[in-house]
Amino acid sequence: DPAALVQVLFSLGEMVTATQSVSDETLQLLGAELDYNIQVVSPEDEDRELLESFDIEYGENEGGEEDLEARPPVVTVMGHVDHGKTKLLDAYRHSNVVAKEAGGITQSIGAYQVATEVDDRERKITFIDTPGHEAFTAMRARGAKSTDIAVLVVAADDGVMPQTIEALNHALAADVPVVVAVNKIDKPAADPTKVRGQLTEYGLVPEEYGGDTMFVNVSAVTGEGLDELLEAIVLTADASLDLRANPDMPAQGVSIEAHLDKGRGPVISVLVQRGTLRVGDSVVCGAAHGRVRAMIASNGELVDEAPPSMPVQVLGLTAVPGAGDTFLAVEDDRKARQIAEQREARQRAAQQARGARRKTLDQIFEQMEKGEVQELALILKGDSAGSVEALEDALLKIDVGEDISVRIIDRGVGAITETNVTLASASGAVIIGYNVRAQGKATQLADQENVDIRYYSIIYQAIDEVEAALKGMLKPIF
Ligand code: GDP
């Protein structure tokens, strides 16, 4: 009984309300007081335990030193807005990835590989195709380490800006070495020396000044310095990282992008991190499973095998997992299905637990009326894991001040279903559909239950409207 728990917490000196979240320590304190042994388990720990029960160790190379082979570095491009991250990624994609698909247009699969020559040896580099530290950190928050090296892009005419430092801090927090691309050196106002001086103040000392960070002057527009930047990435990897993996084990990796394709079904981009993924493998990714029907490389070619650090698009899964979900090949279909089912059961239980808490919605409304809390609950549905994540990130960043906030109670890829509407109804939430529609009787049910469904095809429009709604919730000033 929440009210009773609040009282016990009060006696322990913790002033909380029934709808408030408490820290792990407070939970443990509460457990001790009531003679319960409370264990706080992260979803990642829980999943690792699940996999262990199937004799799978996720995140480890099988075998010993002798089984490890060099693998290409995986790179994320970060930096301040408009400093040229997208342009840089485009430049590499177009110059080094041979378009093989009809019409010469290569579909982005969320990451791509380029080849460069260093010391007469061909070396590959894998670029994650989503610029910015948001996706990088969102994945890391889910326990997936997907990046080996961060390329920090700084426009030489603009210099170090707030998001440059923010990106740098994210890279440092993840213990990822940084290579600095001093971009836009074709511009007359470019001052690459100033950029070096500025970053030195933040602990990134250029090699030419005796430090250990490589700075490369580039222009994503003219192409100047782009080969040197690739070389710097390879050299930084060789100098400070031991990038090796066992290619000879069942594949393990992480999903970097997933969406539902009308003709092909669930399409999942996977970064293979250990082992080799092959067509025909039984696989599980998040709560989705299946057998690899086909694999498409970043140059649009069909491939039969994907070794460590290679990104591939995988067809043949039963459902669309989330970005950042663990991906693994297992012995057989049965094992894949069992793991997926257990994960799904767990997700459902977690959702139900959230639902149970929602019974106290009356209390929240009461508090809202009293002006204690005000929040707008949302359910997000979109056409791809990436777009849902981007939307969620942006919505959570809306800040209208006061005590008003956005809470995302559920999210997912695909059409808006009756289950979504039921949940929205039970929790007074608004449903946001991004490039998706309502399915079956969902619209009818929403009318019946007075649930507001809003459709958008432009992220900014969704953000603007939610912001306006939040402002509408602001207490009128008399
Ligand atoms: P992002 O926000 O960091 O992804 O930046 P963009 O890649 O979208 O680039 C922002 C603007 O700067 C675009 O208009 C680009 O064409 C331009 N730009 C990017 N790199 C260069 C460069 O090396 N030289 C010049 N002159 N312009 C560039």
Side-chain angles (χ1 to χ4, degrees), residues 141-159:
R142 305 178 64 171
K145 186 175 193 287
S146 54
T147 297
D148 300 310
I149 292 183
V151 168
L152 185 64
V153 178
V154 188
D157 58 339
D158 213 14

Side-chain angles (χ1 to χ4, degrees), residues 79-88 90 131 153 183-187 218-222:
H80 194 74
V81 65
D82 278 347
H83 278 198
K85 300 179 292 292
T86 310
K87 197 92 187 159
L88 189 70
D90 284 351
V153 178
N183 192 30
K184 305 198 186 183
I185 50 154
D186 59 291
K187 284 196 153 186
V218 300
S219 167
V221 167
T222 68

Side-chain angles (χ1 to χ4, degrees), residues 374-380 391-400 403-409 432 463 466-467 469-470 473:
Q374 287 184 301
E375 71 175 7
L376 178 63
L378 296 174
I379 295 176
L380 308 182
L391 190 60
E392 175 168 4
D393 266 357
L395 287 171
L396 290 175
K397 272 193 202 128
I398 295 178
D399 183 11
V400 291
D403 292 327
I404 296 162
S405 59
V406 172
R407 192 161 71 108
I408 316 281
I409 58 171
I432 299 216
I463 294 160
V466 169
E467 191 165 351
L470 286 172
M473 283 167 73

Side-chain angles (χ1 to χ4, degrees), residues 75-81 83-85 88 127 132-133 147 149-156 159-172 176-183 195 198-200 202-204 213-218 229 233:
V75 174
T76 296
V77 175
M78 305 181 186
H80 194 74
V81 65
H83 278 198
K85 300 179 292 292
L88 189 70
F127 280 93
H133 57 265
T147 297
I149 292 183
V151 168
L152 185 64
V153 178
V154 188
V160 169
M161 297 299 274
Q163 274 176 281
T164 313
I165 299 309
E166 199 180 309
L168 174 60
N169 287 336
H170 280 261
L172 295 178
V176 167
V178 173
V179 173
V180 181
V182 183
N183 192 30
V195 173
Q198 286 176 322
L199 282 175
T200 299
Y202 291 93
L204 283 190
T213 304
M214 298 191 73
F215 282 62
V216 184
N217 292 345
V218 300
L229 180 59
I233 292 166

Side-chain angles (χ1 to χ4, degrees), residues 11-152:
S11 72
L12 292 170
E14 295 280 340
M15 308 293 193
V16 296
T17 62
T19 53
Q20 192 176 327
S21 297
V22 297
S23 67
D24 294 356
E25 292 73 34
T26 305
L27 264 183
Q28 257 143 358
L29 201 67
L30 181 63
E33 183 67 18
L34 299 174
D35 266 342
Y36 282 95
N37 180 15
I38 295 198
Q39 253 184 304
V40 180
V41 182
S42 73
E44 290 77 33
D45 289 344
E46 204 179 38
D47 198 59
R48 204 164 296 126
E49 267 173 40
L50 167 69
L51 293 176
E52 271 167 19
S53 74
F54 284 91
D55 271 337
I56 296 167
E57 224 177 309
Y58 182 79
E60 299 290 332
N61 280 296
E62 284 174 10
E65 279 283 305
E66 67 281 4
D67 299 308
L68 300 178
E69 283 178 24
R71 64 166 180 86
V74 180
V75 174
T76 296
V77 175
M78 305 181 186
H80 194 74
V81 65
D82 278 347
H83 278 198
K85 300 179 292 292
T86 310
K87 197 92 187 159
L88 189 70
L89 282 164
D90 284 351
Y92 284 128
R93 193 175 29 224
H94 291 132
S95 66
N96 297 55
V97 177
V98 193
K100 286 280 164 63
E101 271 187 344
I105 298 162
T106 316
Q107 270 270 308
S108 167
I109 67 163
Y112 61 84
Q113 259 185 337
V114 302
T116 184
E117 212 159 275
V118 178
D119 293 338
D120 291 333
R121 213 150 55 90
E122 194 199 69
R123 303 286 298 265
K124 283 181 180 155
I125 298 172
T126 304
F127 280 93
I128 301 282
D129 214 356
T130 329
H133 57 265
E134 288 87 357
F136 165 83
T137 299
M139 279 210 201
R140 202 165 75 86
R142 305 178 64 171
K145 186 175 193 287
S146 54
T147 297
D148 300 310
I149 292 183
V151 168
L152 185 64

